[in-house]
Amino acid sequence: MVLKVFFPQCCNRADSGLLVGRWLPGRDTAVVLAVIHYPFIPSTVKQYLQQIQGQSQVPVEVLGSWSMPSEKQEGLDSFLRDLSTIFPQTRWLQVSREMGQTGFSCQLLQLPPEKEEEEEDRVIFVHYDQRKVMLSQLHPLESPALPGCEEPSELRQMFWTVAHSEPLFLKDKYDEGPLKLSHWQSEGREASILVELMKLASTPLCLLLAWLLAAWSWVTSTRLLNLSPLRFLSSKLSSCVQLSYRTAHMKTVTSPHTATSHTHFMRKANVLVSLLLDVSLGLLFISWLYREERLARLASALLPAADRVSRELEDLLQWLMGAPAGLKMNRALDQVLGRFFLYHIHLWISYLRLLAPFLEVILWYGGLSAALGLTFALSLLSDMLALLTFHIYCFYVYGARLYCMKLYGLCSLWRLFRGRKWNVLRQRVDSCCYDLDQLFIGTLLFTILLFLLPTTALYYLVFTMLRLMVVALQGVLHLSVDLINSFPLFALSLRVFTPYRLAEGVKFRVLSDEPGTALHLLMEMNALGLGEVVQTYRTPTYSCYPPDSWGALLRKLFVGELVYPWKHKTTKTD
Amino acid sequence: MGPDIAPGPAVPWRKVLWERQPFPDNYVDERFLEELRRNEGIRQYRYWAVVKEAVLVGQQLSCVAIFITLWLYMEQGLLSPEALLWTSLIVGLLGYGLHNALRPQLGSDRKPRTHLADLQSAAIFLSFTFGFSPVLKTLTESVSTDTVYAMSALMLLAHLVSFPYAHPSPTGSLSLNAALFASVCLASRLPGALHTFAMLSCALLMFALWPCLLQSIRDHAPGPSAWLCVGVCLGGVGGLGSRWPGGAVLLALALVSVILLCPLLLVKLQRHKDNIQGPWDEAEIHEDLCKVPY
Amino acid sequence: MGQRRKKADVSASSEKRASEADTAASNPTASNPTASNPNRKHSICMVSDFFYPNMGGVESHIYQLSQCLIEKGHKVVIATHAYGRRKGVRYLTNGLKVYYLPLQVMYNQSTATTCFHSLPLLRCVFVREAVTVVHAHSSFSAMAHDALFHAKTMGLNTVFTDHSLFGFADMSSVLTNKLLTVSLCDTDHIVCVSYTSKENTVLRATLDPQIVSVIPNAVDPTDFTPDPSQRRGGRITVVVISRLVYRKGIDLLGGIIPELCLKHPDLHFLIGGEGPKRIVLEEVREKYQLHDRVRLLGALEHRDVRGVLVQGHIFLNTSLTEAFCMAIVEGASCGLQVVSTRVGGIPEVLPEDLISLCDPTVRSLCAGLEAVITQLRSGAVPSPADIHARVRSLYTWRNVAGRTEKVYDRVAGEEVLPLDRRLLRLRQHCGSVAGSIFAFVAVLNFLFLLLLQWLVPDQVMDRAVDASGPRALWGPSQRDHPAEEAGAGAPTAE
Amino acid sequence: MDNEKYTDINGKAIALNYQRHSSFCTEFTVSSPKVSIGKVMVATCFVWIFAYAVFFFTDNTAVLSSAIIITLIGMMLYIHFVKIDHESLLVIGSLGIQLSSSYASGREHTSFIEMSKIKDIVINEAIYMHQIIYYLCILLRDPADTSAVSSVVPLFQSSKPRLNCLVKVYKSCQEIISKC
């Protein structure tokens, strides 16, 4: 059996006294938290420890004695033994330093004392930095959901012990009292006082915001807004989606009860920071937008742009109705489709004309939304983009449907052509003998469809290209919005400035290996990798679903299924 | 048992595994390979029998030729669609009558189609073809002519390859479809919608109905059917010759080689046949398991 | 994961003993006695594409044979290709070591053969296991042929076991026979599973019949014991267990079922197996509404076969070609009346009174079945126990292993042709064209081997720690708890 | 500290030195040969010859400068992320096992595995590229059931020592683990 003693670095040079700490249950591992110096009254020590135990759920006890070499050495040995009788423990540590040596020497007294064994090199001293260990959070965060897991591992227990015994550390070494302790001293109480004040101030603010949010959510949940068309629309408009997410975020931030678990706290902090960042960016944006007539110019530029797009489309259609790229297509069908789409564009332009006078006002008010945050402005932009390119969407849908039907028909007729049929019950292709007339009509239709396919396919191709452009643009917008929403800025800054706060694990360095003395290790924090930080702490948003692959997208495009930027169907938004 | 042990007492070696025999594992008996048989069950073909079968192939070939001839006539406007329609109508009726006359004798296992059903499908053919013929006419106008020719040639070839020569009564769907596809392609190059209609109905007659009739004739009168085929061949050559002599010559050569030379080759090469059979051969299933689909 | 753990533990436990064998392992030749010694111990490498978790006759043959050889104190390793997640090195019962090499699978579980790409891995196996005899199985397995080729290039003795019959009629068989000629032309000894298969192989590969031994397959009689209590009273059950493919004559079965079912209302069919021809049976079943009398069990695991067999009275085998039909032996061993087609090596397998042979036609099979049915009705058949008692002693794996061992002894004596004579032999033996081509391939292969030897010299490769054979490092201590090995040891591991 | 000759699976010489800090704490360090200047020279030469060839056809000096930058960056990346000089394994009885690998640039990557997570440490066989090699690995215990193995951590991944070296390390590891 090897005895492990976790020893705080700050107590290396403390003068002699009692070791206060904890034996980890089930293991022969001692975590030393502090040293109580002589002189003391045992009863007060016991009572003090009781009180500490009350404040923090850590079962603090007296582990043993700590003797620092000094001039008066006489009779110390017997005195230490007496101590062990004063504080009755099953195991009693006697840690002492000699003048010359760097290492400690340790004795373990087993009580009852007859079976007392002492072997020098069966002891490991692990020196740790009390402050870092207290503040740090060990990763991966253990999930309470995991069942059947035996008691947390040694390191976790040790971290837990140190982290939960702040009350012990609060006692300053300057304030007078019956006991003198030496442990890690938190300096800069003033800062912490400021923090306290802020906390106090934040509570009513949170309450107020929470009340407002409750009101807002009540408004949104009224059934007037939940009629089917509205709901459908809001589920499609990314600004509405963004609004709902922001509401959820605010709810988490302003929840009145304080964050208990580490993850909860981090989540809150991340959301808060990203909110602030978002709003500040939005304000910057506003201050840029509303200066020197940018808005008006934008509005005046927008309409001609839309016009030009339509005109380009018209030219494109004209080109398609001729013999595009030397492809010879069925003239009749070509003319029909071309006319159809031209009529749509005509409709569209008139709609834009109708829209023109109000455009600037819309932009003006839309721009205000940036005050809520840049993300709102961006999602609004993407919505406007969707609305302004509605005609492209229509074209795409028509083309896709036509193409899809044609492909489907061709597939089934090709089976007939080979004298097979699709067996619906067995989900497989069976051989079957058709009648003459079935064969005849099937072949006629097959021929017709086959010869008309290129025309449809070309239209579909062109409009799919346009559609994909729009979708990609929207995808970029959504991506940026998503980034701002979910980026764990707080956690990342923590990782950068105080690496020990987020520890992936620990690493040990061998301090001294003089044969004979105990083994001395130095425990250091192993900082969490940046990638893990982002993965662990990124706020879950709507784009966290598994994306379907590029291959799947291509397949969809080929068979003429519709692709969307907003719902889970698309691959573009991430 | 091992290779090193000398053959034991003079018990005869038996070709069984289930009893331990006093011979080494690699023992080679004189009865080794006694069940090896060469060229067993090879039917000796008689030349004229083979020729008689081969005529069938020739007549299908020349059917295609006749169809092409008709198309050539139509395209050059030498044959009016009405005439073609009337002739095909008459021929069709005659053929139908003959078919009916022959039907009662042949297989009574599945119940014969009623005349109503025939009438119905005929109506379907005509109405659909007539309805679609304008569409079909515009179908390939933008596709270049030689593309269409290539496609139809390919399809006709597919038709010839996949045609079930053994018993063509239910025409193999692939072959029929290929033929129809080709005829649609060709018909769409014709000047008018009526032309298309006429051409398609003619194609139907030739590729869908003629094989059934021929089959039923063969079932009843093998002798005359062979001469009928020969007649078809001659007709094909003659018809093609009237428009395109070179093609006629080619067709004639093809027919001769198919009908006369290939059988000759087959019969001559029989002597050199040498294949080994034995108990290891995979037994092939002789009964037609047609009651089981597959 | 269990797999990996077990393997890891095993290798660990073997490592624990690695120390004492380390010195011995450093010079493998030291432990090889001279060829003259008749009871020398070989170290054999079985190579085939077909091994567990794939199921079939070849697989179980390789497994059982290896087990018996290990029992006789030889060292056996098996090399096959990776099956899905089963890659790397596994240990089966009694330290039978299996290399699942990552080679690309081409067509039903057989790897693609380019006489080269498998050389590096196979060479690694041969060298590190100090293999003396390479034993390839099944002419369908490309990996086996590659292994024969490489082994000759590396100067090892080779044995080949042919499990299948081939015709000479069609084009494909002409090609495959040519390939077989090439790959068997300098194989030291060939093993066939029946006399018919021997004749077939000798003809296909134009071999000297003296180097072809006939060693039948075997079944483990303890696995297939009769249990008449499982039979359902008041009905006669016909059991068919085979892969549902054309070669097994499933079309015949599809013809038989309706005929007999219409005649005998108490006749039931129990069909185990999976395959493309399953549709035929399903369609028959639907067409004649026989859902209650024809049960399709789907793919069976090896341990369930006996449970199915004992439910039946008659075992029906409709194969169109068989080298050695293990299924009928299993059926007879379970005490069933066996009805089978008279094809391939089947007539040699069972004595006439245990099997009734028919021609491969629906009519003849129906007649044979009806005869047996009438016998059953009249009770004029020997009891299952008697049949089992007769069959159990016919084919045992120990016997097979003993005869195979003799083949190894004989082979190990022979000297391996050097390259030049090998090329000459190729030229003489397999015609000028194919001979020259493959001579060229052999030269390339040799050069490739030289390149590999230059890249990774043999002495750099670690000699593997034996798990079986004379220097086995986990002897009886591991032998006696097959339970923990069962995960991988049982034929139906995954 | 023994000076027995060890090689990795490709026959290159590697050095194994292990120092016992105490009876239950040992540190093994496998150090593979340093990055050879010759290789670097060859690589740079190739890049530059290629760059000159391109430059010769397209008189564009940007090619040369970019070539230089590419070589430099490539080398930095190589020594910082790819080339591992030492791999060390610190076994502390009853506390845990610490794996650390130090790159040529001096970057260190360390990870510590607690003893409670470790099920066993074994030598295993695997197919690597076109050979079959032995490697040392730690089996991690599955928290759900202690008999199962959740995953395997291979050791000495960059410098792949041969069996004799692995056996040495393995034995002393087993000794320490069994003792504690």
Side-chain angles (χ1 to χ4, degrees), chain B residues 4 45 55 58 63 77 85 90 93 102 139-140 147 152 238 240-241 254 261 270-271 285 293:
Chain B
D4 38 13
Y45 296 107
V55 170
C63 274
L85 274 177
I90 293 160
L93 285 178
L102 295 175
L139 204 53
T140 62
T147 315
S152 36
L240 199 54
L261 292 188
Q270 280 300 310
R271 291 191 282 96
I285 304 172

Side-chain angles (χ1 to χ4, degrees), chain A residues 103-296:
Chain A
F104 307 165
S105 70
C106 171
Q107 290 186 347
L108 180 67
L109 276 63
Q110 292 279 8
L111 299 188
E114 63 270 9
K115 54 172 295 298
E116 151 200 339
E117 96 280 13
E118 117 192 24
E119 348 160 17
E120 276 307 317
D121 58 343
R122 305 296 274 157
V123 181
I124 308 179
F125 277 99
V126 182
H127 299 269
Y128 67 98
D129 184 335
Q130 213 158 29
R131 171 157 163 278
K132 288 185 177 177
V133 171
M134 193 183 85
L135 294 180
S136 80
Q137 172 64 33
L138 203 56
H139 289 72
L141 307 157
E142 72 256 68
S143 56
L146 181 65
C149 182
E150 75 281 3
E151 81 281 357
S153 71
E154 201 166 4
L155 278 175
R156 285 201 184 283
Q157 283 185 16
M158 183 262 173
F159 273 68
W160 182 85
T161 310
V162 178
H164 279 69
S165 51
E166 289 129 317
L168 185 61
F169 304 140
L170 287 184
K171 189 174 186 342
D172 193 354
K173 67 164 162 288
Y174 297 118
D175 52 8
E176 65 294 340
L179 295 176
K180 288 253 177 256
L181 277 75
S182 81
H183 48 65
W184 162 63
Q185 303 288 339
S186 80
E187 55 281 329
R189 285 283 178 81
E190 299 70 19
S192 59
I193 287 171
L194 282 184
V195 170
E196 292 304 319
L197 285 178
M198 278 175 60
K199 276 182 187 164
L200 283 182
S202 69
T203 322
L205 184 63
C206 283
L207 285 176
L208 177 64
L209 283 175
W211 183 79
L212 285 179
L213 281 172
W216 163 249
S217 52
W218 176 80
V219 169
T220 52
S221 64
T222 49
R223 75 129 48 101
L224 175 64
L225 290 177
N226 283 350
L227 299 176
S228 62
L230 274 177
R231 153 162 299 171
F232 177 76
L233 220 58
S234 60
S235 69
K236 296 285 173 284
L237 287 179
S238 54
S239 52
C240 296
V241 178
Q242 174 62 16
L243 194 61
S244 63
Y245 277 100
R246 272 294 175 228
T247 321
H249 289 166
M250 290 298 283
K251 278 219 181 74
T252 50
V253 171
T254 63
S255 61
H257 47 74
T258 58
T260 54
S261 73
H262 170 78
T263 46
H264 192 190
F265 168 72
M266 291 302 274
R267 176 109 195 275
K268 262 186 162 182
N270 284 328
V271 169
L272 185 58
V273 170
S274 72
L275 257 175
L276 294 181
L277 176 79
D278 186 14
V279 170
S280 48
L281 282 178
L283 290 180
L284 274 179
F285 177 67
I286 285 185
S287 61
W288 174 81
L289 188 65
Y290 284 79
R291 253 195 252 115
E292 59 217 33
E293 295 306 314
R294 286 211 178 80
L295 201 59

Side-chain angles (χ1 to χ4, degrees), chain C residues 237-244 248-250 252-254 256-257 268-274 281 294-298 300 305 308-309 312-319 327 336 339 369:
Chain C
T237 312
V238 177
V239 181
V240 178
I241 292 181
S242 75
R243 285 175 291 112
L244 304 182
K248 298 291 182 181
I250 301 306
L252 287 176
L253 184 59
I256 295 167
I257 288 174
H268 287 67
F269 280 87
L270 203 56
I271 300 169
E274 195 49 77
L281 300 178
V294 178
R295 280 180 54 209
L296 295 175
L297 302 173
L300 286 179
V305 169
V308 176
L309 280 174
H313 303 73
I314 304 173
F315 184 86
L316 175 63
N317 169 43
T318 58
S319 299
L336 275 69
V339 177
L369 272 171

Side-chain angles (χ1 to χ4, degrees), chain C residues 210-346:
Chain C
Q210 287 296 338
I211 66 164
V212 182
S213 294
V214 174
I215 300 176
N217 272 336
V219 297
D220 191 349
T222 58
D223 292 2
F224 296 96
T225 51
D227 180 7
S229 64
Q230 294 290 324
R231 298 180 175 178
R232 303 273 297 277
R235 60 164 63 170
I236 291 180
T237 312
V238 177
V239 181
V240 178
I241 292 181
S242 75
R243 285 175 291 112
L244 304 182
V245 295
Y246 174 78
R247 287 168 66 88
K248 298 291 182 181
I250 301 306
D251 302 288
L252 287 176
L253 184 59
I256 295 167
I257 288 174
E259 285 207 29
L260 284 180
C261 282
L262 295 186
K263 280 193 196 141
H264 304 275
D266 64 344
L267 194 65
H268 287 67
F269 280 87
L270 203 56
I271 300 169
E274 195 49 77
K277 284 286 185 182
R278 183 193 176 100
I279 292 162
V280 176
L281 300 178
E282 280 176 357
E283 277 170 349
V284 168
R285 196 165 68 163
E286 282 161 18
K287 198 154 172 202
Y288 298 90
Q289 272 96 33
L290 295 171
H291 294 80
D292 54 341
R293 294 171 60 184
V294 178
R295 280 180 54 209
L296 295 175
L297 302 173
L300 286 179
E301 294 197 340
H302 190 265
R303 59 164 170 272
D304 308 339
V305 169
R306 188 240 171 194
V308 176
L309 280 174
V310 293
Q311 296 176 26
H313 303 73
I314 304 173
F315 184 86
L316 175 63
N317 169 43
T318 58
S319 299
L320 301 181
T321 170
E322 280 282 0
F324 176 97
C325 189
M326 279 170 108
I328 59 174
V329 184
E330 292 170 355
S333 169
C334 283
L336 275 69
Q337 297 294 316
V338 179
V339 177
S340 172
T341 48
R342 188 187 289 104
V343 294
I346 290 178

